[in-house]
Amino acid sequence: AQKVTQAQTEISVVEKEDVTLDCVYETRDTTYYLFWYKQPPSGELVFLIRRNSFDEQNEISGRYSWNFQKSTSSFNFTITASQVVDSAVYFCALNSYGQNFVFGPGTRLSVLP
Amino acid sequence: DGGITQSPKYLFRKEGQNVTLSCEQNLNHDAMYWYRQDPGQGLRLIYYSQIVNDFQKGDIAEGYSVSREKKESFPLTVTSAQKNPTAFYLCASIPSGERGQPQHFGDGTRLSIL
């Protein structure tokens, strides 16, 4: 069975602090995809990034960066110099071919001014 | 612009009543999904459809029904058999046949019991 764990239920930081959101996944498939989504208070899920299981290169996009480590089955998400607009619930998700998406429980991030 | 439209944004259900949530997409995606989100929890799959006139139960299908008569539309009916319908419902779509594509989501419908 596939599973995604986000151990941090809620995180609060002060603006300009760096914050890392953890994601640990379980799958027996050798080919799979990992995703991060942002859910702002308005409710819609916004796609942030996708990673396939064969590409362990870390990725940086502005203040966002992602660290994928197959050895520890982790796909962590770091926000540098956080801003109030980063306040949202963040979901990590896993998908393999022929399987439905599996979402983690989400981490609620509050960035305080 | 292409996207997924869910309506209504807020919906109230009386006891014993069936209600239908609308989901329309103009992305030309083959597969569509319905998720339920409860406070502090992740997304749980209710139903999904890979192709017109075909759909499968997800993890929590009891008390719900769907139809897929058109590629663009995947309405969800919350029946009176669903005893705890209060939740946030999200519709998503994805192009079939393309591995690793992210799901696109609508803005959601918040359902409450009167």
Side-chain angles (χ1 to χ4, degrees):
Chain A
Q2 301 192 321
K3 185 178 179 181
V4 175
T5 301
Q6 295 178 256
Q8 305 146 308
T9 304
E10 294 190 36
I11 301 176
S12 289
V13 298
V14 177
E15 206 170 17
K16 297 184 183 178
E17 286 185 358
D18 298 348
V19 58
T20 295
L21 310 182
D22 298 333
C23 172
V24 174
Y25 62 93
E26 296 176 26
T27 181
R28 292 182 178 180
D29 295 322
T30 55
T31 303
Y32 53 88
Y33 300 86
L34 296 163
F35 305 82
W36 275 97
Y37 287 86
K38 174 181 180 180
Q39 185 179 41
S42 51
E44 77 280 14
L45 263 72
V46 178
F47 164 68
L48 296 177
I49 191 172
R50 172 192 64 189
R51 249 318 175 242
N52 74 56
S53 52
F54 298 108
D55 183 1
E56 288 193 71
Q57 278 193 337
N58 293 330
E59 183 157 339
I60 298 175
S61 176
R63 296 184 296 106
Y64 295 172
S65 63
W66 291 268
N67 183 298
F68 176 31
Q69 292 194 343
K70 286 179 74 171
S71 60
T72 56
S73 297
S74 65
F75 186 43
N76 297 336
F77 173 27
T78 297
I79 301 175
T80 303
S82 59
Q83 299 177 0
V84 173
V85 293
D86 295 327
S87 297
V89 180
Y90 290 86
F91 290 98
C92 182
L94 168 68
N95 180 234
S96 303
Y97 186 68
Q99 304 280 336
N100 288 318
F101 276 68
V102 175
F103 287 83
T107 297
R108 181 177 298 277
L109 173 64
S110 298
V111 181
L112 308 174
Chain B
D1 287 338
I4 299 177
T5 301
Q6 289 187 241
S7 62
K9 194 171 180 67
Y10 299 95
L11 186 58
F12 298 92
R13 193 192 90 169
K14 296 179 181 178
E15 195 170 335
Q17 184 183 43
N18 292 353
V19 293
T20 297
L21 285 60
S22 170
C23 177
E24 303 278 333
Q25 55 100 357
N26 60 4
L27 299 166
N28 199 33
H29 287 173
D30 296 301
M32 298 185 73
Y33 303 78
W34 274 106
Y35 292 94
R36 169 177 172 144
Q37 183 181 14
D38 292 281
Q41 296 190 32
L43 279 63
R44 293 186 291 169
L45 182 64
I46 305 173
Y47 267 99
Y48 62 101
S49 168
Q50 303 278 18
I51 196 170
V52 174
N53 292 323
D54 188 42
F55 48 83
Q56 283 78 41
K57 293 182 179 180
D59 301 319
I60 56 166
E62 187 173 348
Y64 300 97
S65 66
V66 293
S67 63
R68 186 83 186 278
E69 297 176 2
K70 298 186 302 181
K71 187 176 185 178
E72 302 80 19
S73 179
F74 191 40
L76 173 73
T77 297
V78 184
T79 74
S80 57
Q82 173 49 249
K83 299 306 180 187
N84 183 23
T86 297
F88 187 57
Y89 292 87
L90 283 159
C91 179
S93 72
I94 192 170
S96 290
E98 298 183 36
R99 297 190 185 189
Q101 292 299 310
Q103 289 188 331
H104 297 248
F105 285 85
D107 290 348
T109 293
R110 198 167 297 278
L111 176 61
S112 303
I113 296 180
L114 282 178

